């Protein structure tokens, strides 16, 4: 998944740091304009080419640690004191197993390269707009669900919990809330603007799943939506294993993808706009805009959906940091 990642020298992972708070907004989706990053040399493509149907994905096998740090330096959009904002390259995982090349694994080298010396970088992340397989029943609303994280067959998966008890909450179940708004519809899909009001792993993916509209490229949870005679329903989460997302033939034709290419479809969930408070007291808030990944723009083009506008106040998926993002 592409989009913005915010790094701060004194922020612990999932812990609130000084001067970081949600920015109030009348609509919940917009404040003042600020910075915008434009991709270099990227173009929308109407058709996939060969075995690389999704342009812009980072090929980690071709990079060493030093080369990855150089890539991340080039992706830095804004740096003010302890706050570094970068557009994380597509295909780079945030975390992974010991010894794997990830964003977190090279943060010490990136900190040195940016002149932060011994100051530690940590990651804060959020998500914004999504293309969904299916159209929500209502044009906008809120999604509330109690979620828990379970280790199933060696994989951490998020499971909805119906009617959770007090004991459930003591054991890690959390109430979650997201707002959504359908921006456009076409070819049985929707472009949806999302704003999480809480933070939980895979929250937005699971919330859209509960609307029977899995995110395109969701190979972890989309199998939980079944179809009988054209009607969608939820399968039991506890007994449904992750599998590659299966798209119907009409949608594959519209996306100009073969079934094998669709099995590699990246997750179409992108943080397009992020609002941050000023680093210092009385400093104006910042609005940070990230361009769509090439594969995301290509999908919108194939589906006849409008691309997200850039640089306009309150339009295109403004995202305030959830109030408990770092808890």
């Amino acid at each position: 998944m592409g989009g913005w990642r915010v790094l701060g020298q004194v922020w612990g992972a999932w812990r609130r740091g000084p001067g970081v708070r949600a920015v109030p907004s009348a609509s919940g989706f917009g404040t003042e304009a600020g910075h915008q990053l434009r991709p270099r040399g990227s173009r929308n493509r109407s058709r996939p080419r060969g075995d690389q149907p999704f342009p812009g994905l980072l090929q980690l096998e071709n990079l060493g640690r030093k080369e990855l740090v150089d890539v991340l330096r080039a992706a830095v959009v804004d740096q003010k004191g302890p706050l570094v904002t970068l557009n994380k390259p597509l295909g780079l995982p945030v975390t992974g197993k010991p010894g794997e090349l990830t964003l977190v694994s090279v943060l010490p080298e990136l900190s040195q390269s940016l002149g932060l010396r011994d100051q530690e970088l940590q990651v804060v992340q959020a998500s914004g707009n999504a293309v969904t397989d299916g159209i929500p029943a209502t044009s906008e609303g809120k999604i509330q669900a109690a979620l828990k994280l379970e280790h199933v067959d060696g994989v951490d998966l998020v499971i909805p919990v119906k009617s959770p008890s007090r004991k459930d909450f003591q054991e890690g179940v959390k109430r979650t809330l997201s707002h959504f708004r359908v921006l456009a519809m076409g070819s049985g899909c929707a472009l949806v603007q999302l704003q999480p009001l809480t933070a939980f792993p895979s929250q937005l993916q699971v919330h859209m799943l509960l609307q029977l509209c899995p995110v395109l490229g969701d190979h972890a949870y989309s199998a939980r939506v079944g179809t009988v005679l054209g009607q969608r329903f939820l399968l039991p989460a506890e007994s449904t294993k992750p599998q590659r997302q299966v798209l119907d033939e009409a949608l594959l034709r519209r996306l100009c993808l073969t079934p094998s290419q669709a099995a590699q479809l990246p997750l179409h969930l992108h943080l397009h706009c992020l609002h941050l408070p000023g680093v210092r007291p009385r400093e104006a808030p910042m609005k940070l805009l990230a361009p769509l990944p090439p594969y995301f723009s290509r999908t919108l083009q194939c589906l006849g959906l409008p691309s997200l506008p850039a640089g306009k106040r309150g339009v295109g998926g403004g995202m305030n940091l959830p109030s408990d993002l770092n808890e």
Side-chain angles (χ1 to χ4, degrees):
M1 174 181 67
W4 296 86
R5 297 295 182 264
V6 184
L7 311 175
Q9 66 184 32
V10 293
W11 297 347
W14 308 109
R15 182 181 62 200
R16 182 167 303 283
V20 180
R21 61 189 184 280
V23 183
S25 167
S27 65
F29 291 94
T31 67
E32 297 301 322
H35 306 274
Q36 180 178 353
L37 176 69
R38 297 186 181 276
R40 302 179 194 175
S42 63
R43 294 182 180 179
N44 293 345
R45 293 179 179 147
S46 59
R47 286 183 177 274
R49 298 200 294 181
D51 295 329
Q52 299 294 335
F54 312 111
L57 293 179
L58 190 67
Q59 302 298 316
L60 277 178
E61 61 272 16
N62 299 327
L63 296 177
R65 296 181 68 88
K66 183 180 183 301
E67 290 79 11
L68 179 56
V69 171
D70 291 340
V71 170
L72 293 176
R73 274 183 58 88
V76 171
V77 181
D78 189 71
Q79 182 176 352
K80 290 186 177 180
L83 182 66
V84 178
T85 307
L86 63 85
N87 194 16
K88 186 184 78 66
L90 303 170
L92 174 64
V94 177
T95 60
K97 298 177 181 178
E100 291 182 344
L101 201 58
T102 65
L103 174 60
V104 169
S105 73
V106 298
L107 287 184
E109 291 100 316
L110 180 61
S111 179
Q112 291 291 325
S113 180
L114 294 175
L116 297 178
R117 299 181 181 179
D118 297 328
Q119 298 170 351
E120 182 181 2
L121 288 174
Q122 297 289 345
V123 179
V124 176
Q125 45 187 336
S127 299
N129 294 86
V131 178
T132 61
D133 176 19
I135 300 173
T138 58
S139 60
E140 62 181 293
K142 62 182 180 180
I143 307 168
Q144 301 181 78
L147 303 178
K148 66 177 178 179
L149 196 63
E150 283 194 359
H151 198 67
V152 180
D153 294 334
V155 180
D156 288 329
L157 294 174
V158 176
I159 308 292
V161 179
K162 294 182 179 180
S163 304
S165 64
R166 180 178 299 180
K167 182 180 179 182
D168 290 328
F169 290 115
Q170 293 173 346
E171 295 178 350
V173 174
K174 182 175 179 178
R175 296 189 189 277
T176 60
L177 171 64
S178 299
H179 288 169
F180 75 92
R181 180 186 304 159
V182 177
L183 300 180
M185 299 175 288
S187 304
C189 297
L191 176 61
V192 181
Q193 182 186 63
L194 295 162
Q195 183 173 22
L197 276 300
T198 57
F200 198 82
S202 303
Q203 174 177 317
L204 295 181
Q205 289 169 248
V206 175
H207 278 188
M208 292 314 301
L209 190 79
L210 295 176
Q211 297 294 300
L212 301 177
C213 299
V215 178
L216 279 182
D218 183 355
H219 304 296
Y221 299 102
S222 60
R224 296 181 188 175
V225 176
T227 305
V228 173
L229 299 177
Q231 298 297 315
R232 296 188 174 193
F233 61 95
L234 284 176
L235 295 167
E238 293 81 0
S239 59
T240 306
K241 294 184 178 181
Q243 66 180 38
R244 293 295 181 180
Q245 188 176 37
V246 178
L247 305 178
D248 63 44
E249 292 184 4
L251 183 53
L252 287 176
R253 288 195 299 268
R254 189 75 190 223
L255 294 175
C256 302
L257 296 176
T258 66
S260 62
Q261 289 171 335
Q264 307 169 46
L265 193 68
L267 185 68
H268 282 56
L269 186 60
H270 174 72
L271 177 57
H272 178 60
C273 181
L274 177 67
H275 298 289
L276 295 175
V279 176
R280 298 178 181 84
R282 298 183 181 179
E283 190 172 75
M286 295 181 291
K287 179 180 180 180
L288 302 169
L289 298 175
L292 291 177
Y295 72 81
F296 202 119
S297 296
R298 177 190 172 277
T299 294
L300 294 180
Q301 183 181 13
C302 290
L303 295 175
L305 298 174
S307 184
L308 295 176
K312 295 182 180 181
R313 177 174 176 174
V315 179
M319 179 68 59
N320 293 332
L321 287 177
S323 59
D324 61 350
L325 183 63
N326 295 323
E327 292 179 359

